[in-house]
């Protein structure tokens, strides 16, 4: 049984639900340190993040008997290091859910990230802002605009009070404000905030960095929705080129390693994307969205469609997903043949297919 018995709770201690802060009635029997208001929130938390961090929470939420200050100091240091690890882990998991469109699943993971940040940095630190922004974006995805505004107001107020807010954090704040105004169909205000997102991201990472591409992408979506297709096309092209350049650099490392007959398998070596799971999910969402838009104009601009398809091929190939890589490569090759593009274009796609097939054959042997 995982029901809490009130008489077993120490006097003066209030047990709260991990998801909504309501009075708790259930406890996780695996870790015995996490509480819920009912089975619905317990299942939601388990599916989102708790299953991944259940056992890691035990030392963080259990008081240990100490006999001298040195042991206490070591335990405190271990707890701090564990919390810092969980801050980033929960943040990445929540981000990945958002990029995959799983907004409901993102909420518990984002809440965990926020709580760990509060434990480590305090209640008014600018370090809380990324978690507030995750919760705001999840709320927007769930159609809860008022709740999203509350999280964004909290994030804005925290940034205003801070004297040490990074360009990267300013960028994320403006990006989420842009998304809010897009949801409210206030496109002028949305464009203002996305322009600021691009400015701050460029200051932090450069104008051609993948971390800046999200601002261009959302701005392109606004122009596309407003039927300003030339502006949208220019921005979609820029986003595609940014991701293509980034992935091609990693792809060239892999190709060179194969030429030198270096055994990459089983090591991951540098054959992966260089991205975390959330960034890979972002790349998939952005590039597949652009590809879907390009498909509608593939008769008039087939090379733009093929360019995005080849970028997706490299992404999935570097993610070790050869079936998806082959699927997009075949789409690109079929389109190149259908539109009677140059032999050079067709050969470049064939080269991609050959490398993927060679990797598959090496895996089998």
């Amino acid at each position: 049984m995982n029901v809490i018995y009130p008489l077993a709770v120490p006097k003066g201690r209030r047990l709260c639900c991990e998801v909504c802060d309501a009075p708790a009635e259930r406890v996780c029997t695996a870790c015995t340190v996490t509480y819920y208001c009912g089975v619905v929130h317990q299942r939601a938390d388990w599916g989102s993040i708790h299953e991944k961090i259940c056992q890691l929470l035990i030392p963080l939420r259990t008081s240990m008997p100490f006999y001298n200050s040195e042991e206490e100091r070591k335990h405190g240091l271990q707890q701090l290091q564990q919390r810092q690890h969980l801050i980033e882990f929960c943040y990445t998991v929540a981000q990945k859910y958002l990029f995959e469109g799983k907004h409901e699943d993102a909420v518990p993971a984002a809440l965990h990230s926020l709580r760990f940040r509060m434990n480590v940095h305090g209640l008014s630190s600018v370090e809380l802002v990324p978690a507030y922004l995750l919760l705001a974006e999840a709320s927007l995805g769930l159609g809860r605009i008022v709740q999203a505004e509350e999280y964004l107001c909290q994030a804005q107020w925290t940034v205003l009070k801070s004297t040490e807010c990074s360009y990267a954090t300013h960028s994320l704040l403006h990006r989420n404000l842009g998304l809010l105004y897009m949801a409210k169909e206030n496109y002028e205000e949305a464009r203002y905030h996305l322009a600021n997102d691009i400015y701050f991201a460029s200051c932090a990472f450069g104008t051609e960095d993948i971390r800046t591409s999200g601002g261009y992408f959302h701005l392109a979506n606004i122009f596309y929705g407003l039927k300003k297709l030339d502006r949208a096309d220019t921005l979609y092209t820029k986003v595609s080129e940014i991701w293509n350049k980034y992935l091609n650099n990693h792809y060239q490392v892999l190709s060179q390693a194969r030429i030198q007959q270096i055994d990459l398998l089983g090591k991951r070596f540098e054959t992966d994307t260089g991205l975390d799971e959330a960034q890979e999910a972002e790349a998939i969402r952005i590039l597949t969205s652009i590809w879907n838009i390009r498909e509608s104009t593939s008769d008039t601009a087939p090379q733009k469609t093929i360019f995005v398809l080849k970028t997706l091929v490299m992404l999935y190939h570097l993610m070790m997903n050869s079936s998806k890589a082959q699927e997009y490569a075949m789409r690109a090759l079929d389109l190149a043949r259908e539109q009677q593009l140059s032999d050079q274009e067709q050969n470049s796609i064939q080269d991609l297919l050959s490398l993927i097939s060679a990797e598959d054959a090496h895996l089998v042997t």
Side-chain angles (χ1 to χ4, degrees), residues 108-123:
L111 285 171
H112 276 287
S113 181
L114 178 61
R115 289 195 189 97
F116 290 130
R117 288 170 189 270
M118 288 177 171
N119 289 336
V120 173
H121 302 290
L123 299 178

Side-chain angles (χ1 to χ4, degrees), residues 10-167:
K11 187 176 180 180
R13 185 181 179 193
R14 180 174 176 265
L15 302 180
C16 299
C17 175
E18 192 74 17
V19 177
C20 68
D21 276 340
E25 297 181 1
R26 301 172 70 86
V27 62
C28 172
T29 54
C31 66
T32 70
V33 293
T34 310
Y35 305 93
Y36 303 96
C37 62
V39 67
V40 173
H41 280 176
Q42 184 172 9
R43 286 175 178 169
D45 191 39
W46 181 263
S48 169
I49 189 70
H50 190 72
E51 181 182 12
K52 302 175 180 69
I53 64 173
C54 182
Q55 296 302 301
L56 298 176
L57 296 175
I58 297 174
L60 294 180
R61 296 178 174 177
T62 304
S63 298
M64 302 292 288
F66 294 114
Y67 301 101
N68 62 63
S69 59
E70 181 62 20
E71 288 183 27
E72 191 172 49
R73 187 190 68 79
K74 287 181 179 178
H75 182 67
L77 183 60
Q78 289 172 347
Q79 283 190 324
L80 176 62
Q81 291 171 339
Q82 188 72 282
R83 286 193 177 98
Q84 288 172 331
H85 166 71
L86 288 173
I87 283 172
E88 296 307 318
F89 180 73
C90 294
Y91 182 82
T92 299
V93 169
Q95 263 194 326
K96 183 172 184 284
Y97 283 136
L98 290 176
F99 289 131
E100 292 173 343
K102 300 175 181 177
H103 302 99
E104 196 80 57
D105 290 335
V107 173
L111 285 171
H112 276 287
S113 181
L114 178 61
R115 289 195 189 97
F116 290 130
R117 288 170 189 270
M118 288 177 171
N119 289 336
V120 173
H121 302 290
L123 299 178
S124 58
S125 171
V126 73
E127 294 294 335
L128 274 56
V129 171
Y132 286 134
L133 298 180
L134 285 179
L135 290 163
E137 189 172 348
S139 299
L140 283 176
L142 294 168
R144 301 168 186 166
I145 292 181
V146 173
Q147 189 176 48
E149 286 182 306
E150 290 174 357
Y151 284 125
L152 285 169
C153 283
Q154 186 67 51
Q156 279 184 296
W157 177 240
T158 304
V159 167
L160 283 171
K161 291 189 298 180
S162 172
T163 57
E164 300 177 350
C165 188
S166 67
Y167 286 137

Side-chain angles (χ1 to χ4, degrees), residues 261-280:
Q261 296 184 334
I262 297 173
D263 181 13
L264 306 176
L265 302 174
K267 299 179 183 177
R268 287 288 279 185
F269 185 59
E270 289 300 326
T271 62
D272 63 2
T273 58
L275 308 170
D276 62 32
E277 288 187 352
Q279 290 172 316
E280 288 180 349

Side-chain angles (χ1 to χ4, degrees), residues 102-271:
K102 300 175 181 177
H103 302 99
E104 196 80 57
D105 290 335
V107 173
L111 285 171
H112 276 287
S113 181
L114 178 61
R115 289 195 189 97
F116 290 130
R117 288 170 189 270
M118 288 177 171
N119 289 336
V120 173
H121 302 290
L123 299 178
S124 58
S125 171
V126 73
E127 294 294 335
L128 274 56
V129 171
Y132 286 134
L133 298 180
L134 285 179
L135 290 163
E137 189 172 348
S139 299
L140 283 176
L142 294 168
R144 301 168 186 166
I145 292 181
V146 173
Q147 189 176 48
E149 286 182 306
E150 290 174 357
Y151 284 125
L152 285 169
C153 283
Q154 186 67 51
Q156 279 184 296
W157 177 240
T158 304
V159 167
L160 283 171
K161 291 189 298 180
S162 172
T163 57
E164 300 177 350
C165 188
S166 67
Y167 286 137
T169 299
H170 276 292
S171 166
L172 288 175
L173 175 59
H174 281 290
R175 185 170 303 179
N176 278 269
L177 287 167
L179 293 175
L180 170 67
Y181 285 108
M182 285 174 69
K184 297 172 75 170
E185 298 183 358
N186 184 342
Y187 298 117
E188 185 175 347
E189 197 69 20
R191 283 159 57 185
Y192 165 79
H193 284 293
L194 290 173
N196 275 284
D197 163 27
I198 293 167
Y199 168 75
F200 283 114
S202 297
C203 290
F205 312 114
T207 57
E208 307 297 316
D209 193 275
I210 56 172
R211 289 164 290 188
T212 309
S213 69
Y216 295 126
F217 174 68
H218 292 302
L219 197 55
N221 288 341
I222 291 177
F223 287 127
Y224 188 78
L226 294 173
K227 306 300 181 185
K228 297 180 179 180
L229 302 184
D230 287 344
R231 293 184 184 181
D233 178 74
T234 299
L235 288 167
Y236 284 136
T237 298
K238 186 172 185 65
V239 174
S240 301
E241 289 174 347
I242 288 171
W243 279 101
N244 184 277
K245 181 180 178 182
Y246 174 86
L247 292 167
N248 190 53
N249 288 338
H250 286 263
Y251 173 76
Q252 292 303 325
V253 171
L254 173 61
S255 299
Q256 189 62 36
R258 290 244 356 121
I259 292 170
Q260 296 172 1
Q261 296 184 334
I262 297 173
D263 181 13
L264 306 176
L265 302 174
K267 299 179 183 177
R268 287 288 279 185
F269 185 59
E270 289 300 326
T271 62

